[in-house]
Amino acid sequence: MKPLMYAAAFAAFCAFASTAGAETFTFVNANAGTADQVVLRSPNPDGRPSGATVYATRTSATFADGKKAETSARCSNWILPPDSQFGQNGVCEYKDANGPLYESRFTCAAPTKGANGIDCWGTLVGTGGAWKGRTGAFTLHTMQNGAHGEGHWKE
């Protein structure tokens, strides 16, 4: 479940870019402290575990204009049932001292034995500040020690 903890963090980088026009960005996520996990001892019939994680993440983003941003979020993800086409879903909420900035919702592929990480994708919804009312999307690749990806905010 640790790789998924990085999925939501990517969205945080978006919070500090200018809001004129569509904006593209790349990002790197890292864990921000320990995670609270509930993983059941008996796996599902396909060997996939059952459980969920609540965690904090930090994101470093670089926008197309060269502007850089560092943000933080509180996130949660859960493993989907074995008959699901995908592996995990999750959500993150990004805030600053003034309140909410935006939310991310994401889905990740089912893990493959021997693979190096998991691919994820999702949406961004602006809930406050310069992002209120805006939407966007992102993709990322998770690994044991973090995630990297790219995305965009729509106009």
Side-chain angles (χ1 to χ4, degrees):
M1 292 186 63
K2 189 172 183 180
L4 186 53
M5 293 170 36
Y6 302 108
F10 79 87
F13 73 87
C14 305
F16 296 101
S18 72
T19 59
E23 298 160 322
T24 62
F25 57 86
T26 61
F27 62 92
V28 175
N29 292 341
N31 276 347
T34 59
D36 295 325
Q37 294 185 352
V38 176
V39 178
L40 302 180
R41 294 174 195 242
S42 57
N44 284 302
D46 71 346
R48 192 184 305 185
S50 294
T53 303
V54 175
Y55 59 96
T57 189
R58 294 180 198 262
T59 299
S60 298
T62 303
F63 291 87
D65 66 0
K67 185 180 282 187
K68 296 188 182 292
E70 300 272 335
T71 55
S72 298
R74 186 84 173 141
C75 306
S76 180
N77 68 276
W78 49 96
I79 299 171
L80 298 175
D83 61 345
S84 175
Q85 176 180 355
F86 304 110
Q88 306 174 58
N89 282 344
V91 296
C92 289
E93 181 179 36
Y94 295 87
K95 294 180 179 180
D96 67 11
N98 297 317
L101 294 173
Y102 54 93
E103 301 169 344
S104 68
R105 292 171 176 83
F106 57 91
T107 297
C108 297
T112 305
K113 284 191 176 200
N116 184 17
I118 299 172
D119 292 317
C120 304
W121 55 93
T123 62
L124 302 168
V125 176
T127 56
W131 303 107
K132 189 169 181 123
R134 294 184 73 189
T135 60
F138 65 91
T139 63
L140 65 99
H141 182 77
T142 67
M143 295 178 294
Q144 265 317 99
N145 61 351
H148 61 274
E150 65 235 359
H152 68 274
W153 280 102
K154 298 177 188 174
E155 293 185 27

